[in-house]
Amino acid sequence: MRRILLIIGIVFAILNGSAQSISTYGDLRAKVLHVGQKLTGHNTTNDQAIAVIVRELAMNYQGRLSRQQFQELKDTIEVMRQQIIADTWKTVLNSAIETLQEKTDTLDIQQRILDYYKRVPQEQIYVHTDRPYYVPGDTVWFRAHLVDAVTHTPISRSRYVYVELLDQQADTLMQRIVVKCDNDGVFANALLLPKTIRGGCYTLAAYTQWMRNFPAERFFYKQLVVVGNSSLTDSQSEPDGLAVRTLRTHSPLLTDSTLELGQRKGQLLIQLNKTIDKPLACVLYGSGNLIVADYTPGKVLRIDSQTLRPGSLSVAMVNRETGAIIAEGQTNIEGKDAQVTISGKAQSNNNPMELNIDVADADGTPLYGNFSFSVTDYDVVQPDTLQPAIDKSLSQQPADYSLANMLSGRFPEIDYGFQTSQTISGSIRGTIFKKVKHPKLMLFRPDTGFRTTFELGDSSRFTINGLDFPDGTTYVLEGMRRTGSTSLVQLNIDSISYPQLHVPQWSIQKLDIPEGFNKQAKEQVMYGSIDREIELPEVVKEKKRQHKPTNLMGVPPFRAFYDDDPMLNNFHSMEILLSTLGIPVYRDSEGELQVRARSGSVSANYHGPTIYIDEFRCNVEELLMLQPSTIESIEWFDHVGAAHMTIYGWNVSTSGLLLVRQKPGLHGRIFRPLSMATVQPQGWKPSIEFYSPQYTDPTAKARPDHRITLYWNPKVETDDNGHATVRFYASDVSKRYLVTLEGVSNDGIIVQKTVIIE
């Protein structure tokens, strides 16, 4: 009896507490869980209490549920339902579930945003250079920090970053290089400025192939200043500075006048001053934040700022049923910076220096990651105050993340995937008939001897994936029929396209350059502190040039002619040139080029030599069509060894190997079979290591040291304690040092610190 009275008392207490409307999902879920914990038991009284209370809670809830919230409540009620014996009370619980379902959004806002993030991931790039200004002939050391736009964590889904240098005044491309990530996902390299480059302002741009799916305005752009004889404006001649253009930051998203956003006492305050009779959700997203909260019009929604990640934050009021955006705006969440300490004692006169680095988050937890680090001479390089630092650059919300597109399921067209390898693409077709049935493609890389053949099946198009090659690599391709015949076969190679950059508008400001920078920088270039090359007077050699073999094996030929041999211009035909090499030319009954054996006899199964012209295997007719004046080198091997077979294939004739290379830049040099093509696509630029002299023996110094950048390391790795140490030597003139550390930790915390060591 006492147990029954206790249960009845609990029921009335819960029902009285539920008589007032329940406005938040948290309250509703807490009450439902409380019922399950207090009243679950296998008797009729408990079953009735559970069913009645849960139904009343569902009816009194005045808010809206997301589909995820509804599923959580449904799962909880289903557990209770399985423990009820009487079918009558099971029916009551089913009614409660139906009531909650009616209050559930038809649109799952949070899930749609997450699905959009998954299907359309965004990349952001920030490029850290060793300093803000240079001189002609200088070296620009840089690292491209590639991060996920939502979480800011370092990524390497794209394994290649394209870096371009543009002349703003002439609107022309100066350089383009491809930077490949290393085993740690670091994109670092260097740009060598021409010694003839004029002084002025240039734009450094960086992007990935994936970023080409979105507007070029979203690429990374940075101003690069070259101090030289020419100037952009008359103000450059003034001694106090140089007039340069700085990036105009994007205007913040205009906030709807009915949506008020404010921050006070550690809270973000959100209020919609508009009467709406539809269920609303307040959506907060950006900089790694995603919150979907119930909102009652006219009320103030308070969000603890400490729970938000710092950066640009978008706020929108959304109709829960239709996904229509009622109002939206944007604000910036200020967060505590990472704790970075750089300590050390300044040295001079080529003495060694040691700098200790400690990195932790705002709470003091050590941060692990790879950061870029530069040390420059502070007396000639001032801090870069005109370009946005990494924290400002990466914290901007990508404009391509439109909430309207996310909620409506409108996805952009994706034309470029994540570039995980390099490719060569094209097609094989007939010269008379458009389609070649079941074509095959041969791929040959001359520098390594790699050779393979692909079967294309019914397709005439091909894309060779999985390639990874440095700049300057040559590939030879040949299309053929299924039988191996190349008759009436045409091979077409697709050209590589590059995006049209959208250089931002820059505002003109004064850049103060210390007086001694120009002189010291030129001395640095002159004495080769960067590339370790010293310019010497031109020397004219009277002795005849000694030729190195031009064949891929580097093997000295039996006989050869090279382009500076005057005899090449005296030959009127290839037959005469070949005879001079000791290759008497005649045709047998089948029209094949024949060379008599040294004994003077020719066997019945004798075959002519193997002929290659510019790495293409050719026949006698193509060889005799050449003009001797167009030849750069011709090498004859009367004996074919294993090295030749490794490079040119095991089917090389034992009767000899003839290698012909033509002069570059000639038009119509040779009749080239339409089935063959030589391609040299742009590959990645091999990394260059920063040279830092080691003065272990000061008396052995060979030349003056006028370095401006004394130390550059694109990959300073902190240990488990967030600590790292770097060591280098001072120059002849350096006394004070400008030290900069930039990057993103492995868990997405942006790190930036600039200090002066003196």
Side-chain angles (χ1 to χ4, degrees):
M1 183 67 180
R2 293 183 59 187
R3 176 176 174 81
I4 296 176
L5 292 176
L6 178 61
I7 293 174
I8 294 175
I10 295 175
V11 169
F12 277 104
I14 295 178
L15 289 177
N16 289 335
S18 305
Q20 299 178 353
S21 62
I22 305 172
S23 59
T24 67
Y25 166 73
D27 290 342
L28 175 62
R29 179 166 173 76
K31 290 180 182 295
V32 172
L33 290 174
H34 180 69
V35 172
Q37 294 171 356
K38 292 291 184 181
L39 303 181
T40 299
H42 295 289
N43 61 70
T44 304
T45 304
N46 284 4
D47 292 351
Q48 181 181 2
I50 291 174
V52 172
I53 293 174
V54 171
R55 183 182 62 183
E56 290 297 322
L57 290 174
M59 294 176 61
N60 290 335
Y61 181 62
Q62 301 300 313
R64 299 292 300 181
L65 298 173
S66 70
R67 296 170 68 178
Q68 180 180 357
Q69 291 171 344
F70 168 73
Q71 190 62 46
E72 291 174 352
L73 289 173
K74 181 181 177 182
D75 293 343
T76 302
I77 297 173
E78 283 290 349
V79 173
M80 302 178 189
R81 185 177 179 277
Q82 293 174 5
Q83 297 177 351
I84 289 179
I85 300 175
D87 292 338
T88 302
W89 307 123
K90 288 185 177 182
T91 304
V92 174
L93 281 182
N94 289 339
S95 175
I97 293 176
E98 293 174 357
T99 301
L100 292 174
Q101 190 169 19
E102 293 174 357
K103 299 180 180 183
T104 300
D105 299 334
T106 57
L107 180 71
D108 194 337
I109 296 175
Q110 185 172 13
Q111 190 58 48
R112 291 208 175 191
I113 295 175
L114 292 175
D115 289 343
Y116 194 94
Y117 285 161
K118 183 178 180 180
R119 290 186 57 176
V120 191
Q122 288 273 16
E123 296 176 329
Q124 283 183 299
I125 291 181
Y126 173 81
V127 177
H128 177 200
T129 56
D130 62 319
R131 46 192 161 96
Y133 38 85
Y134 303 85
V135 296
D138 222 333
T139 301
V140 182
W141 300 97
F142 69 85
R143 173 179 170 180
H145 295 274
L146 182 65
V147 301
D148 182 89
V150 174
T151 63
H152 292 157
T153 53
I155 56 175
S156 56
R157 292 184 294 238
S158 297
R159 296 185 62 235
Y160 304 90
V161 167
Y162 294 76
V163 177
E164 299 185 4
L165 182 65
L166 298 95
D167 186 339
Q168 296 176 191
Q169 186 171 352
D171 192 24
T172 57
L173 176 67
M174 302 288 294
Q175 289 189 50
R176 177 189 292 120
I177 66 172
V178 181
V179 183
K180 175 186 172 183
C181 69
D182 63 10
N183 293 333
D184 295 317
V186 174
F187 300 86
N189 217 300
L191 285 173
L192 306 179
L193 299 179
K195 295 181 180 180
T196 57
I197 191 173
R198 63 176 180 81
C201 293
Y202 297 82
T203 297
L204 186 71
Y207 59 90
T208 65
Q209 288 292 336
W210 175 262
M211 294 175 68
R212 295 180 62 181
N213 294 304
F214 311 99
E217 293 89 340
R218 308 306 169 200
F219 296 173
F220 175 83
Y221 299 97
K222 180 177 183 176
Q223 177 126 285
L224 205 68
V225 177
V226 178
V227 181
N229 297 326
S230 179
S231 63
L232 288 177
T233 65
D234 294 335
S235 62
Q236 183 171 351
S237 59
E238 300 175 7
D240 58 341
L242 169 67
V244 301
R245 301 177 183 272
T246 59
L247 177 64
R248 291 177 179 173
T249 57
H250 297 288
S251 300
L253 179 67
L254 295 179
T255 301
D256 192 301
S257 59
T258 61
L259 183 63
E260 294 185 7
L261 304 176
Q263 298 184 50
R264 186 168 61 250
K265 296 182 179 180
Q267 288 186 324
L268 172 62
L269 308 179
I270 307 170
Q271 184 174 15
L272 178 65
N273 297 320
K274 183 187 294 187
T275 303
I276 302 293
D277 60 355
K278 299 292 184 180
L280 297 181
C282 182
V283 182
L284 299 88
Y285 64 100
S287 299
N289 300 293
L290 179 56
I291 297 176
V292 180
D294 294 328
Y295 181 75
T296 303
K299 301 291 185 179
V300 176
L301 179 63
R302 301 174 183 272
I303 304 293
D304 185 2
S305 298
Q306 300 298 321
T307 62
L308 299 173
R309 295 181 59 134
S312 178
L313 181 70
S314 296
V315 181
M317 291 296 177
V318 179
N319 186 322
R320 276 194 175 275
E321 296 177 344
T322 65
I325 299 176
I326 308 301
E328 59 183 330
Q330 198 172 54
T331 187
N332 191 65
I333 302 299
E334 298 292 340
K336 295 181 180 179
D337 296 333
Q339 302 178 26
V340 182
T341 302
I342 303 175
S343 59
K345 184 178 180 181
Q347 300 291 340
S348 59
N349 299 324
N350 306 137
N351 287 317
M353 279 189 63
E354 179 177 287
L355 298 179
N356 292 299
I357 306 166
D358 292 283
V359 184
D361 63 13
D363 298 326
T365 304
L367 293 179
Y368 176 76
N370 287 314
F371 307 96
S372 50
F373 189 78
S374 66
V375 181
T376 55
D377 190 335
Y378 179 65
D379 290 321
V380 291
V381 175
Q382 298 299 307
D384 188 359
T385 59
L386 302 181
Q387 309 292 335
I390 185 172
D391 54 344
K392 302 298 181 184
S393 179
L394 296 182
S395 63
Q396 295 296 320
Q397 173 77 4
D400 304 291
Y401 278 146
S402 165
L403 184 60
N405 290 340
M406 296 182 192
L407 299 182
S408 62
R410 292 194 299 266
F411 298 98
E413 294 185 6
I414 302 299
D415 298 322
Y416 304 93
F418 291 109
Q419 188 181 12
T420 59
S421 65
Q422 295 163 291
T423 62
I424 299 175
S425 62
S427 62
I428 298 175
R429 57 174 297 175
T431 57
I432 298 179
F433 303 101
K434 291 186 177 180
K435 186 174 180 60
V436 175
K437 294 183 179 180
H438 303 287
K440 294 196 296 186
L441 177 71
M442 185 276 294
L443 174 73
F444 172 57
R445 181 169 169 175
D447 60 337
T448 63
F450 173 78
R451 185 189 304 266
T452 187
T453 302
F454 304 93
E455 294 185 0
L456 305 186
D458 293 334
S459 175
S460 60
R461 293 281 310 169
F462 66 85
T463 299
I464 306 175
N465 296 306
L467 300 177
D468 184 48
F469 49 85
D471 205 15
T473 302
T474 299
Y475 285 96
V476 178
L477 296 95
E478 183 174 23
M480 62 191 73
R481 300 181 182 276
R482 179 169 49 182
T483 60
S485 171
T486 60
S487 176
L488 303 178
V489 174
Q490 181 174 340
L491 175 66
N492 299 312
I493 303 297
D494 297 336
S495 59
I496 299 177
S497 65
Y498 295 97
Q500 182 68 39
L501 299 183
H502 190 279
V503 180
Q505 298 294 321
W506 307 85
S507 59
I508 298 179
Q509 294 189 29
K510 187 77 71 175
L511 176 63
D512 293 326
I513 298 179
E515 183 177 354
F517 168 78
N518 203 5
K519 178 182 178 182
Q520 186 170 330
K522 289 182 177 179
E523 289 177 344
Q524 173 183 258
V525 175
M526 179 187 305
Y527 288 104
S529 298
I530 296 176
D531 52 15
R532 289 174 283 177
E533 293 180 358
I534 301 177
E535 295 185 15
L536 298 175
E538 183 178 358
V539 177
V540 179
K541 297 176 64 175
E542 299 294 339
K543 186 179 178 180
K544 184 177 180 180
R545 181 160 57 103
Q546 298 294 322
H547 290 281
K548 293 183 178 180
T550 61
N551 59 84
L552 299 176
M553 308 83 63
V555 178
F558 178 67
R559 291 192 181 92
F561 280 116
Y562 295 98
D563 57 349
D564 60 348
D565 195 319
M567 291 185 63
L568 284 176
N569 296 322
N570 297 330
F571 296 128
H572 300 291
S573 66
M574 287 299 298
E575 286 86 345
I576 300 176
L577 188 154
L578 294 172
S579 298
T580 307
L581 283 173
I583 309 175
V585 179
Y586 71 97
R587 295 180 184 275
D588 61 12
S589 59
E590 298 179 357
E592 294 292 338
L593 178 67
Q594 296 291 348
V595 180
R596 294 189 183 277
R598 295 180 182 178
S599 62
S601 62
V602 178
S603 61
N605 59 355
Y606 178 82
H607 297 284
T610 300
I611 304 170
Y612 276 87
I613 303 177
D614 294 339
E615 313 305 339
F616 288 98
R617 186 161 182 168
C618 300
N619 55 35
V620 62
E621 287 79 9
E622 294 168 345
L623 175 65
L624 298 180
M625 289 177 63
L626 293 178
Q627 296 295 323
S629 60
T630 67
I631 291 179
E632 183 179 86
S633 66
I634 180 169
E635 297 177 331
W636 165 244
F637 301 86
D638 63 343
H639 174 71
V640 179
H644 308 86
M645 291 184 177
T646 301
I647 299 297
Y648 294 100
W650 294 101
N651 59 348
V652 173
S653 172
T654 57
S655 301
L657 178 64
L658 185 65
L659 303 178
V660 181
R661 191 181 299 274
Q662 296 189 102
K663 295 178 181 178
L666 297 177
H667 299 284
R669 299 183 298 168
I670 182 176
F671 169 75
R672 179 72 64 207
L674 296 177
S675 62
M676 305 185 74
T678 301
V679 296
Q680 194 176 68
Q682 182 172 14
W684 46 268
K685 179 182 178 181
S687 61
I688 303 175
E689 184 177 356
F690 180 83
Y691 172 63
S692 183
Q694 306 293 309
Y695 294 120
T696 54
D697 182 7
T699 61
K701 186 170 67 174
R703 56 181 181 270
D705 184 354
H706 298 275
R707 284 174 294 151
I708 291 180
T709 300
L710 292 100
Y711 184 80
W712 165 259
N713 190 339
K715 192 169 63 175
V716 172
E717 184 176 7
T718 55
D719 58 20
D720 294 338
N721 298 318
H723 179 79
T725 301
V726 299
R727 299 176 179 85
F728 59 94
Y729 284 82
S731 68
D732 293 346
V733 295
S734 56
K735 296 180 178 63
R736 301 187 298 171
Y737 303 90
L738 179 66
V739 181
T740 302
L741 178 78
E742 290 188 332
V744 182
S745 68
N746 285 8
D747 52 359
I749 297 179
I750 299 175
V751 175
Q752 196 278 333
K753 186 70 172 182
T754 299
V755 299
I756 300 172
I757 304 294
E758 56 182 342

